[in-house]
Amino acid sequence: MREALEQIRQSADTLIAAAASRAEVEELRVRFLGKKGELTAILKQMGKLSAEERPVIGALANEVREAITEDIAARTKALEAQELEMRLALETVDVTLPGRRPAQGKRHPFEQVLGELKEIFLGMGFDVVSGPEVELDHYNFEMLNMPKSHPARDTQDTFYITENVLLRTQTSPMQIRVMEKQKPPIRIICPGRVYRSDAVDATHSPIFHQIEGLVVDKGITFSDLKGTLEMFIKKLYGEGTRVRFRPHHFPYTEPSAEMDMSCFKCGGKGCSMCKGEGWIEILGCGMVHPKVLENCGIDPEVYSGFAFGVGLERIVMMRYGIDDMRLLYENDLRFLKQF
């Protein structure tokens, strides 16, 4: 048994010293010191020894176990140092190489165009205001001259949360809130998200963006509305752009109109963009209805005003020649990086 222990020790020393990886060292540990290892097999035969031999062989077995354990620890440490040295050599950074520029984001087409619109109206003395997207029916409809029985409600499929709470269908409620708190003169634009129950297609979405404007002061006339919007369009599309106004109806303005602009693609000659008409519908507008002014505590005999509303998606799509609104919401970087 003594010879067997010595042989195990010599064999372990040789094999551990030649191990090329920590995995091999672990295999040798199991081979020699594991529950079914060679040293364990020897120790199971201790019962066959005489009382005089047992402590001598036991001490020798412990000595062999400690020697093998030390060899394993030393070889493992040496292999770890070797692996670290190899990693450092492989992962060395060449500090003389030029750095890699991080990917830099760009503003979304919405934000680019909205920034231009804000600059145009700020230059004309307007303030930019924002408000809640979850709105009260009182502000979204009733204060805008649309009581619960008004037929105009049938044309706006609304997301109701409760009977009196809804997702706003336009940013007009902010005009009401401003008129309640601030007396004329008032010059504001209200950009923001609005919600209507529309099926998603190339030109419709249940979530879209509006920019509405409001001016209230003494002596405001339709000519002021026309001049303001004409300047807005010329700033946005160029001095050669022409506008025209067509009579329309909105419950919160009287008189009301739809405004068209000459097609920026063909200059009014007629093309596929304007469907051969030479004109593109761009926004709705009108003089603030006297009832709306009264609802906000503003005397319509003293003050008058005009309001307008335009869809941001429409302007963005016309600006960049985009024919499908869904592209603006899909967050495909291949598309967005073009702008």
Side-chain angles (χ1 to χ4, degrees):
M1 189 172 289
R2 181 188 296 274
E3 292 176 358
L5 288 171
E6 290 292 344
Q7 188 175 356
I8 289 173
R9 179 170 184 173
Q10 292 175 7
S11 178
D13 285 347
T14 303
L15 292 173
I16 291 171
S21 67
R22 285 187 287 172
E24 289 185 26
V25 173
E26 176 61 19
E27 290 177 4
L28 292 171
R29 184 194 68 79
V30 173
R31 172 180 169 179
F32 291 109
L33 304 180
K35 291 182 179 180
K36 297 180 180 180
E38 294 181 14
L39 183 61
T40 304
I42 295 293
L43 294 175
K44 287 180 179 179
Q45 300 177 28
M46 292 280 288
K48 300 178 182 179
L49 299 174
S50 63
E52 294 80 12
E53 290 179 313
R54 202 174 295 157
V56 176
I57 298 300
L60 181 59
N62 287 334
E63 184 180 331
V64 171
R65 180 188 296 277
E66 290 177 5
I68 294 174
T69 300
E70 289 176 2
D71 288 346
I72 288 173
R75 186 57 183 162
T76 299
K77 187 175 181 180
L79 289 171
E80 287 177 347
Q82 185 178 336
E83 289 174 9
L84 177 60
E85 187 175 342
M86 290 176 63
R87 280 186 58 194
L88 291 174
L90 290 172
E91 298 176 8
T92 298
V93 177
D94 186 350
V95 295
T96 65
L97 290 174
R100 296 178 181 176
R101 288 186 178 274
Q104 191 169 18
K106 297 181 179 179
R107 296 170 68 202
H108 193 279
F110 278 151
E111 289 299 320
Q112 293 181 33
V113 175
L114 180 58
E116 288 185 46
L117 299 183
K118 287 180 179 179
E119 286 299 319
I120 291 171
F121 283 107
L122 287 171
M124 290 191 284
F126 284 71
D127 293 323
V128 180
V129 298
S130 60
E133 296 177 13
V134 179
E135 188 55 273
L136 297 173
D137 181 279
H138 174 75
Y139 286 106
N140 196 81
F141 289 126
E142 293 188 24
M143 292 289 282
L144 289 162
N145 202 30
M146 288 184 285
K148 293 187 183 297
S149 59
H150 198 286
R153 293 207 186 194
D154 296 335
T155 65
Q156 298 192 43
D157 296 323
T158 306
F159 292 107
Y160 278 94
I161 298 172
T162 68
E163 184 178 349
N164 295 310
V165 179
L166 48 86
L167 298 180
R168 66 183 182 186
T169 59
Q170 62 259 334
T171 58
S172 304
M174 269 312 297
Q175 298 179 4
I176 301 299
R177 290 177 179 274
V178 170
M179 284 191 286
E180 281 186 334
K181 296 178 181 179
Q182 175 185 334
K183 297 310 174 187
I186 297 171
R187 288 181 179 82
I188 59 169
I189 57 169
C190 316
R193 276 191 298 262
V194 297
Y195 305 83
R196 294 184 190 177
S197 184
D198 288 330
V200 177
D201 59 28
T203 57
H204 295 84
S205 171
I207 304 175
F208 56 102
H209 298 75
Q210 272 192 346
I211 303 169
E212 298 197 13
L214 173 71
V215 173
V216 180
D217 204 348
K218 293 180 180 178
I220 298 297
T221 66
F222 200 95
S223 61
D224 297 309
L225 166 63
K226 182 177 182 297
T228 300
L229 294 181
E230 188 170 0
M231 178 177 288
F232 158 59
I233 291 299
K234 287 181 181 295
K235 289 283 188 183
L236 196 61
Y237 290 102
E239 290 296 325
T241 310
R242 294 172 291 120
V243 299
R244 74 176 183 182
F245 293 82
R246 294 177 287 104
H248 196 69
H249 169 72
F250 298 111
Y252 29 82
T253 54
E254 181 61 37
S256 304
E258 292 276 8
M259 190 183 86
D260 302 331
M261 56 173 281
S262 56
C263 180
F264 57 88
K265 185 174 181 181
C266 65
K269 296 177 182 179
C271 66
S272 59
M273 175 69 74
C274 59
K275 300 178 181 178
E277 296 181 3
W279 296 92
I280 298 174
E281 180 184 319
I282 186 70
L283 57 82
C285 58
M287 300 300 292
V288 179
H289 197 291
K291 181 63 176 176
V292 174
L293 293 175
E294 285 182 2
N295 289 343
C296 299
I298 296 175
D299 188 350
E301 297 295 327
V302 178
Y303 296 99
S304 58
F306 65 78
F308 57 89
V310 59
L312 181 60
E313 280 81 356
R314 173 170 297 202
I315 294 178
V316 173
M317 291 171 72
M318 290 194 300
R319 164 62 65 84
Y320 296 118
I322 300 169
D323 59 3
D324 193 327
M325 184 188 297
R326 290 168 292 192
L327 293 170
L328 295 168
Y329 300 116
E330 291 174 348
N331 295 326
D332 189 331
L333 292 179
R334 294 171 300 176
F335 171 74
L336 296 176
K337 283 180 178 179
Q338 299 177 65
F339 308 103

